[in-house]
Amino acid sequence: MAKLYFYYSTMNAGKSTALLQASYNYGERGMRSLVYTAKLDDRAGGKVASRIGIESEARHFDAGSDLYGDVAAEHARAPVACVLVDESQFLTPAQVRELSRVVDELNVPVLCYGLRTDFRGALFPGSAQLLAWADNLVELKTICHCGRKATMVVRVGADGQVEREGAQVEIGGNERYISLCRRHFVRAVRDGRLDN
């Protein structure tokens, strides 16, 4: 029986690596998977790419994409064994419900990988919907500089100062975002700088 999975974490926990490994495993067994990533994140040329150097071609979604329609059409053309979605925090709530239909009506498992919260500690709309609708929730872990589990992320400017305001969505990597435990996140936001 297919399920909707949400693998969530902060930055640098290996979400894309886990997605790519899952896709590889399906392919190795002769099973077809569809890999999606957010159109707005073009850092890897539209591919899903991991910091450890592996990558895969991907289909792209934006707020207007009909994910159920796309998967259903592909599944009718040739069986789809699994749908994998990177950067799933950028899904709309309606798209999360579409992916639920993929699971429930097409009996195709959907594995979503994404951030839970933004640099202010607020849920992304797609992540909030996934937390509510997913059959299985899996936290992927990474660590803060202090060694505790990192659950939050701060955004830093070119000057190294912690940003407290700005658009929720701004694409970036290690040069812009730093994963922290809640204690160091609170201090960084309060003081406007990173605390070692």
Side-chain angles (χ1 to χ4, degrees):
M1 184 175 199
K3 292 184 179 182
L4 175 61
Y5 297 84
F6 182 34
Y7 295 87
Y8 66 89
S9 70
T10 186
M11 300 279 290
N12 300 327
K15 295 178 297 297
S16 297
T17 303
L19 179 151
L20 292 166
Q21 182 65 50
S23 181
Y24 179 84
N25 289 345
Y26 276 94
E28 190 174 48
R29 288 160 182 79
M31 303 165 95
R32 181 174 177 232
S33 63
L34 295 180
V35 176
Y36 289 85
T37 192
K39 187 176 184 178
L40 64 90
D41 186 355
D42 61 359
R43 290 176 293 165
K47 297 178 180 181
V48 172
S50 169
R51 290 174 299 132
I52 64 171
I54 56 176
E55 63 184 25
S56 171
E57 295 295 328
R59 303 167 82 84
H60 303 109
F61 71 87
D62 60 22
S65 298
D66 174 5
L67 295 175
Y68 177 82
D70 193 54
V71 174
E74 284 296 315
H75 192 53
R77 186 176 69 77
V80 173
C82 183
V83 174
L84 301 125
V85 183
D86 199 30
E87 304 293 350
S88 63
Q89 70 271 12
F90 298 134
L91 293 166
T92 66
Q95 287 170 327
V96 172
R97 292 189 295 275
E98 289 174 14
L99 293 172
S100 297
R101 285 185 63 204
V102 168
V103 170
D104 297 339
E105 296 176 21
L106 302 178
N107 198 33
V108 174
V110 176
L111 288 66
C112 294
Y113 297 80
L115 298 173
R116 186 180 57 149
T117 60
D118 66 13
F119 75 104
R120 296 168 299 196
L123 289 170
F124 285 96
S127 300
Q129 194 72 36
L130 282 163
L131 288 167
W133 282 57
D135 298 299
N136 284 68
L137 301 172
V138 181
E139 181 181 25
L140 301 176
K141 297 173 181 72
T142 191
I143 57 170
C144 178
H145 61 80
C146 70
R148 295 173 67 190
K149 181 175 80 169
T151 58
M152 312 296 278
V153 64
V154 293
R155 180 162 54 196
V156 295
D159 60 0
Q161 296 299 305
V162 172
E163 296 181 359
R164 297 181 187 129
E165 297 180 1
Q168 183 180 45
V169 176
E170 183 178 315
I171 302 302
N174 293 342
E175 78 288 353
R176 291 287 282 152
Y177 294 96
I178 298 169
S179 297
L180 300 171
C181 66
R182 185 180 55 237
R183 183 180 74 175
H184 283 107
F185 171 82
V186 169
R187 286 183 187 175
V189 171
R190 179 192 66 211
D191 299 341
R193 60 184 172 75
L194 294 173
D195 176 29
N196 290 324

